[in-house]
Amino acid sequence: MTATIIFVLLFGLMLTGMPVSISLGLTVLAFLFFMTSVPVESVALKLFTGIERFEIMAIPFFILAGNFLTHGGVARRMINFATSVVGHWHGGLGLAGVMACALFAAVSGSSPATVVAIGSIILPAMVKAGFPKRFGAGVITTSGALGILIPPSIVMVMYSVATNTSVGTLFMAGVVPGLVLAFMLGALTWYRARKNKYPRMQLVAGRTGGQASIATIAGLSASLFFIAAPIAALWWLMGRLAPEGTGILVVILGIAWLLVARLLTQNRFVLRWVFSVAFLATPPVVVHALLALFLPTGGGTLLLALFVIWILAAIPLAKKGDLVEGMAISARHEALLVWRSFWESVWGLLLVIVVLGGIYSGVFTPTEAAAMSAVYAFFVAVFVYKDMGLKQVPKVLLDSANMSAMLLYIITNAVLFSYLLTSEQIPQAMADWMIGQGLGAIGFLLMVNLLLLLAGNVMEPSSIVLITAPILFPVATKLGIDPVHFGILITVNMEVGMCHPPVGLNLYVASGITKMGITELTIAVWPWLLTMLVFLVIVTYWPPLSLWLPRLLGMMT
Amino acid sequence: MLKALDHLEEWLIAFLMGAATVVIFVAVVHRYASGIPWPAFQDWLLTINLSWAQELCIYMFIWMAKFGAAYGVRTGIHVGVDVLINRMPDKPRAGFVLFGLLCGALFTGIVGSLGAKFVWEIAHTDQVSPDLEAPMWIVFLAIPCGSYLMCFRFLQVAWSFWRTGQLPHHDHGRVEGVAEVTDADLVPTAMKDDLHPRDVR
């Protein structure tokens, strides 16, 4: 009964179009005033103490970091890097768009921000390259949704606030599904581009796709090798020499190495050596790492054996020449291009390591990682890339504060609302009722998906998560659904909701960039949206997809 | 007078945003820097106690949230469920929009008054915050001040809507400083995203 009154009141107020935060707050005030003897005074205190938690403060920091990255030229360099890696395949720029969105998603926590950052640069470029407008808009609108699935993610922070799930674990759980979704969207892009014969980047005349791929892989592995190998060696050496205080010294020396390495990347001899060593070292190390991941083997003997096998195989390959194009630098245009764009964008890419590595290793709490990434992004934007002047900083701060304050205000009122629900014991009652209906885990998850997709038609993600999570969560726990899996499922649902009308922020942002009508955009988006729905079903009914990585890392049992 | 208030509000929230970031950054750097066995320097670092940084950051962000929410009313950033009312003819929609704005003013007004009463009571105790040891009534002052300001902003927006039929619009798609995009590609259009009410002509 009370539940009905509360929800009718809430939805009634919401449908009049007033801000979601105000309707949540007014519902609580009205209910407490008319229906109970709870003193209304407690509301004011609750409005303060409700968001007095350090975890929530990750949201403004992530928004600030994202804004610095968008304005600071990081997105542009990431796009160049992605284009150099996947641009030679069918649908080149489209695929690069998917990859750039995935990369940017790994440093930004919001979907519309990802669409703006990547789309505003790559969409005009795609139209210029001869792609139909619809194709580009479809790719970017949906790939931008990766922003909230690949960590960091503001929606995941909201979920963790509403349900007390660990943010770090949620972030790690988002990695694999995010990569899988990026792969699925990329595969569809590739297929459609191939079918319709859309342009691809042809860098060297007469080069086949396979050869170009090998060259880019060579360039990629050389870049990774050059950045990681000295630091790994340093780590190992320091660990032997002075185990105490190794971590911080390695970080400092690592940064010093990066500064030196960037100066060396132009040198011909360095290049030649790095490419040769990377060519010899990368395949055995990668195979060894993959084997160690799935088999309980490992150790030096296996690595040595792999080295010998690879060198024996590589000599005839290198001699044959037409596959690897010899060892001459001039013949490897694509590899060099990847190398250059990698070192151009390395400061943006490193942020991924700062955030995820920092949280996983316990160096930072998620909120601290967010603050660090905001400072880092500011530094990179203003002093390294210099795409942004100090004069623009106050404007970025103000915009970020505006957006964060809006989200924090919704959180404040949602916490107030869930306090009301809890004190009236509504979540428990609803959980008992739903289980009493004989709803199993499978039926419940189906219902949750439908409910959230429906909610996605009228509300934006933060409000949906904050209102529904406290109600659905107890049922999920009672049915034995893992909280982390449930969080990822909700996040994917939110992603779908952002890409379809009538309320889909990604769509509106894309429509602002491309000047296409919403109806036309909806048609443009549907193949990718369908893929996302398929992916949603996979995520919902196959928990290991989300839970595998956090379990492997020992973050949950 | 109003212009000054506008600027004060903008400067305050931008400052709080930046300052909180710097505070947490310094605290984290300090935590790790004081772990390195530098002679003399380490002793000096260890004498600095930054355990209050987290609390200060939280309070700064709460202040930012309260005043930022008021600024958000002025910029029209608060999202609502406008699917239904945006499909109505102008006349009833104007009624709903006004109703929403006045409800906002009502809610923030009530909360502001409750907060003011609360602050008044707590000012007569000597409660201090756990780490910073700042008087709690100053910390809680964010609620009445922020809410009353927000109430004022709602009334302001309602008044100008009543007179001109126009609402402040927030634009999600605007990027400044992206070199490749010419202005023609990104003219801020009033987006009909159904999360914000539309103007009445």
Side-chain angles (χ1 to χ4, degrees), chain B residues 120-131:
Chain B
W120 179 252
E121 281 163 12
I122 222 169
H124 289 91
T125 65
D126 42 8
Q127 265 192 56
V128 290
S129 68
D131 293 326

Side-chain angles (χ1 to χ4, degrees), chain B residues 139-179:
Chain B
V139 173
F140 281 122
L141 210 54
I143 303 176
C145 293
S147 296
Y148 279 138
L149 184 62
M150 200 168 167
C151 178
F152 172 67
R153 293 296 182 198
F154 268 120
L155 292 174
Q156 210 180 7
V157 171
W159 176 243
S160 87
F161 178 74
W162 174 253
R163 289 184 46 193
T164 64
Q166 298 218 321
L167 287 163
H169 283 292
H170 176 73
D171 185 24
H172 306 281
R174 190 191 51 203
V175 192
E176 283 155 18
V178 174

Side-chain angles (χ1 to χ4, degrees), chain B residues 6-72:
Chain B
D6 288 359
H7 282 298
L8 188 70
E9 187 184 59
E10 286 168 19
W11 274 105
L12 179 71
I13 62 174
F15 165 77
L16 287 173
M17 185 92 210
T21 315
V22 172
V23 164
I24 292 301
F25 177 72
V26 170
V28 173
V29 169
H30 171 264
R31 189 170 78 216
Y32 284 100
S34 57
I36 308 173
W38 287 329
F41 198 58
Q42 190 185 21
D43 297 332
W44 176 70
L45 280 177
L46 285 173
T47 56
I48 307 171
N49 177 13
L50 285 178
S51 58
W52 43 264
Q54 203 155 314
E55 197 182 84
L56 181 64
C57 165
I58 292 174
Y59 290 158
M60 278 174 142
F61 271 150
I62 293 181
W63 276 73
M64 184 199 80
K66 300 299 172 208
F67 285 89
Y71 174 69

Side-chain angles (χ1 to χ4, degrees), chain A residues 13-22 24-26 29 40-41 43-45 47-49 51-54 57 60-61 63-64 70-73 76 112 116-117 120-121 124 244-245 248-249 252 362-365 367-368 371-372 374-376 387 392 394-395 397-406 408-410 412-413 416 457-460 463 502-505 508-509 511-515 518, chain B residues 9-11 13-15 17-18 20-22 24-25 28-29 31-33 35-38 53-54 57-59 61-69 71-72 75 77-85 87 96-97 99-101 103-104 106-108 110-111 114-115 117-118 136 139-140 142-143 147 150 154 170 172-181 184-187 189 191-195 197:
Chain A
L13 286 175
M14 263 194 207
L15 283 178
T16 65
M18 70 174 68
V20 174
S21 39
I22 299 293
L24 282 167
L26 264 185
L29 269 190
V40 197
E41 279 74 23
V43 169
L45 181 66
L47 274 180
F48 190 94
T49 53
I51 55 168
E52 213 187 7
R53 285 170 55 186
F54 196 52
M57 303 310 160
F61 284 138
I63 290 175
L64 182 63
T70 310
H71 295 272
R76 182 162 56 85
V116 171
S120 59
I121 298 168
E244 268 183 44
I248 190 89
L249 274 179
I252 292 170
V363 173
F364 310 129
T365 63
T367 309
E368 284 171 348
M372 293 309 265
V375 174
Y376 181 97
D387 277 25
Q392 281 165 285
K395 181 86 180 81
L397 283 176
L398 185 64
D399 282 349
S400 316
N402 194 11
M403 178 59 82
S404 335
M406 187 267 285
L408 288 176
Y409 204 69
I410 297 182
T412 324
N413 288 290
L416 195 66
N457 280 320
V458 291
M459 275 196 270
E460 52 84 57
S463 326
V503 173
L505 271 181
Y508 292 96
V509 172
S511 128
I513 297 171
T514 58
K515 299 278 170 299
I518 292 298
Chain B
E9 187 184 59
E10 286 168 19
W11 274 105
I13 62 174
F15 165 77
M17 185 92 210
T21 315
V22 172
I24 292 301
F25 177 72
V28 173
V29 169
R31 189 170 78 216
Y32 284 100
I36 308 173
W38 287 329
Q54 203 155 314
C57 165
I58 292 174
Y59 290 158
F61 271 150
I62 293 181
W63 276 73
M64 184 199 80
K66 300 299 172 208
F67 285 89
Y71 174 69
T75 57
I77 201 176
H78 289 283
V79 290
V81 180
D82 296 280
V83 177
L84 201 65
I85 63 161
R87 278 156 186 67
F96 275 114
V97 172
F99 173 72
L101 290 170
C103 277
L106 175 73
F107 174 70
T108 47
I110 293 176
V111 166
L114 291 175
K117 193 170 155 233
F118 182 73
M136 275 322 265
V139 173
F140 281 122
I143 303 176
S147 296
M150 200 168 167
F154 268 120
H170 176 73
H172 306 281
R174 190 191 51 203
V175 192
E176 283 155 18
V178 174
E180 269 72 8
V181 186
D185 293 322
L186 271 182
V187 174
T189 45
M191 275 191 280
K192 303 178 182 69
D193 62 359
D194 284 327
L195 290 169

Side-chain angles (χ1 to χ4, degrees), chain A residues 53 55 155-167 170:
Chain A
R53 285 170 55 186
E55 300 91 81
V155 172
M156 287 186 198
V157 177
M158 298 270 186
Y159 176 80
S160 100
V161 167
T163 63
N164 275 324
T165 316
S166 146
V167 184
L170 275 169

